[in-house]
């Protein structure tokens, strides 16, 4: 599902994640990437980029969950 972008435009497969990206949006994008990868829509290069993007999204989500867990521990203390 990735589209070719002109130089200077960002593809949704970029690996860098906006730190302000909400958890729910990151999970939704990750689900879409997985679906697209499983469907075989991507070329080999696009699959690699999708995998890298997915790994970055997963790391972002895990970091957000860790922060929330720490906050809950503070409230429970």
């Amino acid at each position: 599902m990735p589209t070719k972008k002109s130089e200077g435009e960002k593809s949704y497969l970029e690996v860098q994640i906006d730190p302000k990206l909400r958890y729910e949006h990151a999970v939704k994008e990750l689900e879409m990437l997985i679906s697209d990868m499983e469907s075989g829509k991507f070329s080999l290069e696009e699959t690699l980029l999708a995998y890298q993007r997915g790994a970055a999204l997963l790391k972002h989500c895990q970091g957000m969950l860790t922060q929330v867990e720490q906050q809950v521990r503070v409230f429970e203390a």
Side-chain angles (χ1 to χ4, degrees), residues 29-62:
E29 183 181 345
L30 185 55
E31 289 172 345
M32 288 174 44
L33 276 174
I34 291 168
S35 175
D36 287 347
M37 288 173 67
E38 289 177 341
S39 74
K41 290 182 183 181
F42 294 151
S43 68
L44 181 60
E45 182 181 78
E46 291 167 332
T47 299
L48 177 58
L49 290 172
Y51 179 84
Q52 291 171 335
R53 175 73 178 176
L57 286 165
L58 181 60
K59 184 177 178 181
H60 175 75
C61 290
Q62 289 172 332

Side-chain angles (χ1 to χ4, degrees), residues 16-17 27 47 65 71 73:
Q16 186 173 356
I17 305 296
V27 169
T47 299
L65 288 174
Q71 291 174 355
R73 286 189 190 121

